[in-house]
Amino acid sequence: MGMIFIIAALLLLLPDCYILFAVMNKASWWWKGLFLLPTAAYFCVLIRIFFASDMRQGMLNMLFWLTLCIVFPILIFTIVSLIGKGVGLAWHAAGTVFNIIGIVSAGIWLGMSVYGIAAGWKRVTVENVEIISDRLPAAFDGYRIVQLSDFHIGTYSLSPGTVEKIVEEVNALNPDLILFTGDLVNVSPNEVEEFVGILKRLKARDGIYSVLGNHDYCLYRDYKLPDTPEKELAKLTAVEKEIGWRLLRNESVEIVKGNDSIAIVGVENAGSRSFIDRSDLPAAVKGLPKDEYKILLSHDPTHWRREVLPKSDIDLMLAGHTHAMQFKLFGWSPSEWTYPEWGGLYEEGRRKLYVSTGIGENIAFRFGAWPQIVSITLKR
């Protein structure tokens, strides 16, 4: 937390000093004081968080919102203005022109941020996808699956009506099967309590199956009471059972229609880098016929290239985890810097991966990467 405080201070103070002494040098101290008010508010929140004994969701939201609406616009203006200073060495008017461009750019970013905070994370969308395979049994031609991922349902305590809207949208699709690919909560199973009744209303003819994401292991909090991550995970698995979800933990089930069947395989989180890894794919597929069409639920999309492609015969993998970093513009997301497969459909020969950018969010903000219900139709 100390390092975060130092970085935030530098990102704010250095651009502020530049603007005060290089751009607003002729302005009155009254205007300069007015300009510094947002920065002062940001530091008040930052100091409050720094000395807090327990990091709560509301604090995280506030810090992130202020970063979007204060730090980034000031930084954007500063970068554009500095470029103008350099161009000004060859073109005298460049300083003024680039300052105007900087103000407009910062204003556009601020507008996008305000929309993402006020409405973007509640703007539920439906993505329709066709998965075509000659390995799919005839009885499953036209079979409809809804994929949900990354609910992070504690964030929706700010907008419980959105969860009702999600349930209504899913049920309106009349799915044969609902598959959830992890991260039901942010840090605690207690987040689900107010939504149990709503989530129980999700319906699919062949049931609802889920797997765990990295957040579901309840590791991202300090434990000062007798509670432990293991106890919290046990509570979460009990809640999923209560709402009618069948949690797959390195195991599989078969969906049977007449003489045909497909396998739904679920592994525990197969994390890369510092994320928890408790997956056991060989155990999950053990006993399944080689020629059976298999759908794998695995939270982290990096699992596809690390193990699924080279070491299994999985036909379709469904994943989440990336959220597209909750920002997408003209088809681009900063997730590209971290994940080769971060959102949408990917193919390697007959093998396919679909990465949902999520229905929820750690922080109440989305722009472009709107909350996503994925409606998948299997086709021969």
Side-chain angles (χ1 to χ4, degrees):
M1 182 60 73
M3 184 58 67
I4 293 173
F5 190 89
I6 292 169
I7 292 171
L10 290 174
L11 287 176
L12 262 178
L13 292 180
L14 292 179
D16 276 0
C17 289
Y18 167 77
I19 293 170
L20 284 173
F21 296 109
V23 180
M24 299 181 67
N25 56 312
K26 295 181 180 178
S28 68
W29 282 106
W30 188 89
W31 280 108
K32 290 178 180 177
L34 196 63
F35 165 73
L36 288 173
L37 277 179
T39 298
Y42 185 83
F43 270 106
C44 286
V45 173
L46 204 60
I47 291 168
R48 171 70 181 86
I49 290 172
F50 184 76
F51 288 106
S53 59
D54 186 20
M55 179 70 77
R56 298 190 180 275
Q57 186 68 34
M59 293 184 190
L60 287 172
N61 281 326
M62 183 61 68
L63 180 62
F64 191 80
W65 293 341
L66 290 175
T67 300
L68 287 173
C69 295
I70 296 175
V71 177
F72 281 15
I74 291 173
L75 199 57
I76 289 168
F77 171 81
T78 300
I79 291 169
V80 175
S81 180
L82 283 170
I83 293 171
K85 293 283 186 184
V87 177
L89 298 174
W91 175 34
H92 182 69
T96 301
V97 172
F98 273 75
N99 280 347
I100 293 171
I101 293 172
I103 291 170
V104 171
S105 300
I108 290 171
W109 175 267
L110 179 60
M112 291 164 56
S113 298
V114 170
Y115 180 80
I117 292 166
W121 63 284
K122 296 177 279 189
R123 181 176 163 177
V124 179
T125 61
V126 177
E127 182 77 13
N128 293 297
V129 181
E130 274 195 355
I131 300 293
I132 302 171
S133 174
D134 58 6
R135 281 174 42 80
L136 186 73
F140 287 87
D141 189 20
Y143 195 75
R144 299 187 67 187
I145 297 170
V146 163
Q147 180 196 5
L148 295 174
S149 193
D150 298 87
F151 231 128
H152 291 279
I153 204 159
T155 307
Y156 279 119
S157 63
L158 297 172
S159 179
T162 304
V163 179
E164 292 199 38
K165 180 182 178 182
I166 291 166
V167 170
E168 290 169 3
E169 292 265 11
V170 170
N171 288 342
L173 293 169
N174 195 26
D176 294 299
L177 189 67
I178 296 173
L179 301 176
F180 180 74
T181 45
D183 278 0
L184 178 56
V185 301
N186 287 323
V187 296
S188 168
N190 297 335
E191 297 167 25
V192 191
E193 288 179 356
E194 66 177 297
F195 299 105
V196 166
I198 300 171
L199 294 175
K200 278 182 175 180
R201 298 193 335 237
L202 280 170
K203 300 295 179 186
R205 278 180 289 278
D206 292 328
I208 303 171
Y209 294 90
S210 65
V211 292
L212 298 170
N214 54 295
H215 281 261
D216 295 323
Y217 294 91
C218 304
L219 299 171
Y220 304 119
R221 56 180 290 200
D222 293 326
Y223 288 91
K224 296 177 181 177
L225 297 173
D227 290 334
T228 64
E230 290 74 20
K231 288 182 179 179
E232 295 291 88
L233 176 58
K235 291 179 187 176
L236 182 64
T237 59
V239 168
E240 292 205 15
K241 184 177 181 180
E242 181 184 356
I243 61 178
W245 297 9
R246 166 73 190 279
L247 180 62
L248 300 176
R249 303 183 70 175
N250 298 323
E251 56 189 314
S252 63
V253 295
E254 290 182 301
I255 307 295
V256 180
K257 292 176 72 69
N259 295 322
D260 292 333
S261 66
I262 62 174
I264 308 299
V265 182
V267 293
E268 296 207 35
N269 193 64
S272 59
R273 306 181 188 94
S274 61
F275 294 110
I276 188 170
D277 186 351
R278 293 186 182 173
S279 65
D280 189 341
L281 184 56
V285 298
K286 188 175 181 180
L288 293 177
K290 190 169 181 60
D291 61 346
E292 189 171 39
Y293 187 85
K294 300 176 184 68
I295 300 174
L296 171 66
L297 312 185
S298 183
H299 181 66
D300 192 322
T302 64
H303 189 207
W304 195 51
R305 293 200 180 276
R306 283 188 287 113
E307 183 181 24
V308 175
L309 283 178
K311 298 179 181 179
S312 80
D313 61 348
I314 296 293
D315 296 279
L316 169 64
M317 173 173 151
L318 302 180
H321 185 58
T322 73
H323 302 201
M325 290 192 179
Q326 296 171 210
F327 183 86
K328 187 167 68 172
L329 193 62
F330 305 121
W332 175 85
S333 164
S335 278
E336 291 185 11
W337 298 334
T338 309
Y339 294 97
E341 292 86 22
W342 57 269
L345 182 63
Y346 302 87
E347 300 183 58
E348 287 283 342
R350 67 170 181 82
R351 321 279 295 281
K352 295 177 176 63
L353 163 71
Y354 192 88
V355 183
S356 168
T357 52
I359 192 66
E361 44 280 310
N362 302 79
I363 303 295
F365 166 84
R366 277 185 183 260
F367 189 91
W370 315 120
Q372 184 184 74
I373 297 168
V374 184
S375 177
I376 298 171
T377 303
L378 302 181
K379 302 285 286 185
R380 278 178 63 84

